[in-house]
Amino acid sequence: MKPCLPHRQEAPRPSWRGPAGSTDCHFHIFGPYDRFPLDPGRSYDPQEASIADYLRVADALGIERMVVVQPSVYGTDNRCTIDAVQRFGRDRACAVAVVDDSFDDTALRTLQAQGVRGLRFNAVSGNGTPLDQLEALARRIAPLGFHLQVYLEGHQLPELAPRLAKLPVQVVIDHMGGVRTVDGVEAPAFQALLRLLGSEQVWVKLCGYRISSSGLPYADVAPFAKALLAAAPERCLWGTDWPHPSLYDVVPEDGQLFDLLGEWAPSAAQRQAVLVDNPARLYGFG
């Protein structure tokens, strides 16, 4: 299996800093692998990416709160993600974990006590929870106040949207729905995402570079991000997606990604909502 590119070593240099309480709602920690070995069912080989490495990025952007997302390369072994939350501090960090139907209610309550606030379905990278467990798992986690986070390919959205809209929990759509910018904002996948955002229970993460068809500097993402912000400004979130796993050609520069958010949300009120207020409501910060 070919190793992914490593994260950038230099500190980001954005043109602005996030307001107090700014939250990175989507990033991963990998390793150390002698403590947290990768799962044999993984589909890519990430290089180690430590808490110290991430904090250099967070400090440069003005990030004070963190949501550590369980990556597919660890399957349902959430120890690395939970360890990161404990080391960042429960006052400013929480986690999105991955489970399957082997986790009983006691195990779910243990995750809650360890700082987990949501569960992730990954239909892109594999090695995760099957989508046919959506409804059953949503019913089980509703009493815990967990949300479901869903990572999809855009073409899956039109068919899956009715199921997501009926779930009894909050739903977070990863990576701007996995739509492709080359298809345009009128494409069925993106229109399905906009309709989902008409529900007060659906949120979206503006981690947008992966949907770009043109690549750096990802200018083709702007119409999609602005449409999402217009549709549900109170339910848009943002994340670095650091250390940008499963990439083999180029790794984004996090300061440039932060500047893109600044272009999509140029006002102080928009930035406050996306980076501070919206995450505080969903994840319980503050």
Side-chain angles (χ1 to χ4, degrees):
M1 196 178 301
K2 181 181 178 182
C4 307
L5 290 173
H7 60 84
R8 291 174 178 262
Q9 296 298 319
E10 71 274 16
R13 294 181 175 84
S15 63
W16 63 290
R17 286 178 60 83
S22 287
T23 309
D24 183 349
C25 294
H26 193 107
F27 69 97
H28 315 285
I29 299 297
F30 296 110
Y33 291 149
D34 59 349
R35 290 184 61 204
F36 305 115
L38 298 173
D39 188 90
R42 66 189 182 277
S43 61
Y44 62 89
D45 268 351
Q47 302 198 34
E48 288 194 359
S50 72
I51 288 172
D53 292 331
Y54 172 74
L55 285 175
R56 285 194 290 271
V57 174
D59 290 345
L61 304 182
I63 297 296
E64 298 178 359
R65 297 169 177 168
M66 299 99 176
V67 182
V68 191
V69 175
Q70 172 78 349
S72 66
V73 294
Y74 280 125
T76 58
D77 180 355
N78 295 283
R79 290 178 300 152
C80 181
T81 296
I82 297 299
D83 175 75
V85 169
Q86 306 310 314
R87 292 175 63 190
F88 285 128
R90 289 282 303 281
D91 58 328
R92 65 168 180 165
C94 66
V96 176
V98 173
V99 309
D100 56 24
D101 54 11
S102 70
F103 284 64
D104 61 18
D105 290 345
T106 298
L108 293 177
R109 287 194 295 271
T110 298
L111 289 176
Q112 182 186 42
Q114 293 172 325
V116 170
R117 296 296 175 260
L119 300 180
R120 190 187 197 202
F121 281 76
N122 186 335
V124 177
S125 306
N127 204 35
T129 316
L131 289 175
D132 60 13
Q133 294 182 24
L134 267 173
E135 287 82 3
L137 192 53
R139 288 192 295 269
R140 291 181 59 205
I141 66 173
L144 300 175
F146 284 5
H147 63 271
L148 285 183
Q149 180 174 315
V150 185
Y151 184 22
L152 303 166
E153 300 280 7
H155 65 82
Q156 297 173 290
L157 269 172
E159 181 177 355
L160 195 61
R163 290 175 61 190
L164 296 175
K166 293 177 183 177
L167 295 177
V169 295
Q170 301 287 297
V171 176
V172 178
I173 307 296
D174 257 0
H175 298 297
M176 294 172 66
V179 301
R180 301 302 302 168
T181 58
V182 70
D183 297 329
V185 295
E186 298 301 325
F190 191 66
Q191 289 301 308
L193 178 56
L194 290 177
R195 287 193 297 272
L196 274 173
L197 286 176
S199 164
E200 293 185 358
Q201 76 182 61
V202 178
W203 305 62
V204 65
K205 289 190 179 180
L206 303 177
C207 307
Y209 69 92
R210 291 188 185 271
I211 75 167
S212 174
S213 300
S214 63
L216 284 168
Y218 312 118
D220 55 336
V221 177
F224 296 79
K226 291 177 180 179
L228 296 172
L229 283 163
E234 76 285 6
R235 279 175 280 110
C236 286
L237 310 162
W238 181 84
T240 56
D241 194 31
W242 188 91
H244 314 290
S246 68
L247 297 181
Y248 303 94
D249 297 322
V250 63
V251 174
E253 199 280 314
D254 292 286
Q256 292 177 350
L257 295 181
F258 204 57
D259 282 344
L260 282 179
L261 172 64
E263 294 172 11
W264 305 337
S267 74
Q270 288 174 309
R271 296 175 181 182
Q272 175 75 20
V274 172
L275 290 171
V276 184
D277 299 341
N278 298 351
R281 291 198 335 271
L282 180 64
Y283 300 106
F285 289 121

